Amino acid sequence: MTEAAVLIDPVPAMDSEAAVVHPVGIEMVHRSRPEDAFPQNWVRLGHDRFSVEALLPHDHPFFAPVAEDRHDPLLVAEAMRQAAMLAFHAGYGVPLGHHFLMADLEYVCHPEHLAVGGGPTAIDVEVYCSDLKWRGGLPAQGRVGWAVHRGGRLAATGTGATRFTTPKAYRRIRQDVPTEGISIPRTAPVPASRAGRTRAEDVVLSETGRDGVWGLRVDTRHPTLFQRPNDHVPGMLLLEAARQAACLVAGGGGMVPAEASTRFHRYAEFGSPCWIRAVVLPESAGDTVTLRVTGNQDGKPVFSTLLSGPLVRA
């Protein structure tokens, strides 16, 4: 895998009067709990460029440190995703009721710059918006690039494609799907330690009796993965499923998903089995493993992810 292609050259900010620092409300990053909202403030650097200050918690119960003392790459990816939502809502005026849909997400983390300290870690997330298409005076879709710095050092980069829909248009897309889905797993989770987790309630996979294949466990009571009622399985839960499947296939102490490239093909629905498959690829060598993880539901692909990162010693 190669580093996500984003601009990382410093660009001067706008004049001091224009570069106003704005606080962030948790509703602007689609969170209902303050502990799950990571952006703290934002400033506009240019017409399509923003700087977001975010805090990575050192003791988050779900996004816990990996490999003993590194911030979870999925925590960094979530901070980037939230920064993008903030940029579009606050910077372009996309109404809060609009739906934020990501078609793909790529990131590359540099674990050497993501050590966990004794308190929250401040990061600067630069957000770059491009290829915007407009409808009714608002952006309807576009691409996003991220560059994450910690203490002046590049800690991560990423790219993604996103689009926005009004509540009315979203309901047309979803047609007869209930507006609120409830799912409580009836299957037992795989052992948490094998899935790269410490708590059973965070495990999103169950055994199927088939090598390299697991069933997706969706629990809408999970406080971090489900911030509010939803009519489909959130993308972050699918990314977590990919990570857990990769850890199960890698064996030992699992692996750290330092790099990921994900394509979301369709919504994962409640009430129908979703099968997660993982396979180690030939590119794996030494202490680094590369895997492909896919999700399928009702015979159709839901997502595909290419993961790469260091193995964790058991």
Side-chain angles (χ1 to χ4, degrees):
M1 297 175 67
T2 58
E3 183 154 334
V6 298
L7 298 172
I8 59 175
D9 295 330
V11 172
M14 301 170 71
D15 62 79
S16 58
E17 291 186 358
V20 178
V21 177
H22 304 274
V24 177
I26 62 174
E27 70 280 356
M28 299 183 79
V29 295
H30 297 198
R31 301 291 90 181
S32 61
R33 305 195 315 161
E35 58 267 44
D36 295 324
F38 308 122
Q40 303 298 301
N41 58 66
W42 68 279
V43 61
R44 191 173 217 129
L45 299 180
H47 184 66
D48 295 316
R49 186 167 182 166
F50 307 84
S51 177
V52 178
E53 181 184 15
L55 291 179
L56 303 181
H58 65 295
D59 56 356
H60 195 282
F62 181 73
F63 293 110
V66 296
E68 297 184 352
D69 65 347
R70 303 288 123 169
H71 283 295
D72 184 353
L74 291 190
L75 168 60
V76 179
E78 176 62 10
M80 292 193 296
R81 191 182 73 91
Q82 291 184 15
M85 289 189 288
L86 172 63
F88 279 101
H89 286 312
Y92 295 102
V94 174
L96 292 177
H98 281 42
H99 293 263
F100 181 89
L101 312 172
M102 296 209 78
D104 61 65
L105 174 64
E106 299 183 18
Y107 70 77
V108 176
C109 287
H110 303 288
E112 66 272 20
H113 300 319
L114 290 170
V116 177
T121 297
I123 58 173
D124 295 314
V125 184
E126 291 196 33
V127 182
Y128 316 84
C129 304
S130 63
D131 300 330
L132 298 179
K133 295 184 179 180
W134 300 77
R135 183 179 299 118
L138 295 173
Q141 67 182 70
R143 291 205 62 82
V144 181
W146 298 275
V148 178
H149 290 84
R150 178 190 184 183
R153 295 181 176 180
L154 185 65
T157 57
T159 61
T162 186
R163 60 190 177 96
F164 305 91
T165 62
T166 66
K168 184 177 180 180
Y170 183 77
R171 290 315 315 163
R172 285 201 303 269
I173 294 171
R174 300 295 284 148
Q175 296 181 351
D176 297 330
V177 176
T179 57
E180 179 179 343
I182 301 296
S183 177
I184 299 176
R186 293 187 173 88
T187 56
V190 301
S193 59
R194 290 180 51 220
R197 307 300 310 192
T198 59
R199 308 187 309 174
E201 58 263 39
D202 295 330
V203 176
V204 299
L205 298 178
S206 60
E207 298 285 3
T208 64
R210 293 177 286 170
D211 289 341
V213 182
W214 296 270
L216 185 68
R217 300 180 72 251
V218 180
D219 190 344
T220 54
R221 300 168 298 180
H222 195 285
T224 297
L225 292 173
F226 287 89
Q227 295 281 310
R228 53 187 178 178
N230 211 331
D231 68 348
H232 65 274
V233 179
M236 181 51 65
L237 193 153
L238 299 178
L239 294 179
E240 178 61 28
R243 180 245 291 281
Q244 293 185 18
C247 287
L248 289 164
V249 170
M255 59 88 68
V256 176
E259 303 181 27
S261 177
T262 302
R263 300 290 181 271
F264 298 103
H265 304 297
R266 55 176 42 83
Y267 294 106
E269 308 291 358
F270 298 119
S272 181
C274 184
W275 308 112
I276 309 299
R277 293 174 170 81
V279 60
V280 176
L281 298 181
E283 296 93 310
S284 304
D287 293 332
T288 299
V289 61
T290 300
L291 310 97
R292 184 174 301 281
V293 183
T294 58
N296 287 271
Q297 187 175 55
D298 298 326
K300 299 177 181 179
V302 171
F303 76 95
S304 58
T305 298
L306 186 65
L307 295 172
S308 182
L311 293 166
V312 179
R313 294 183 180 180

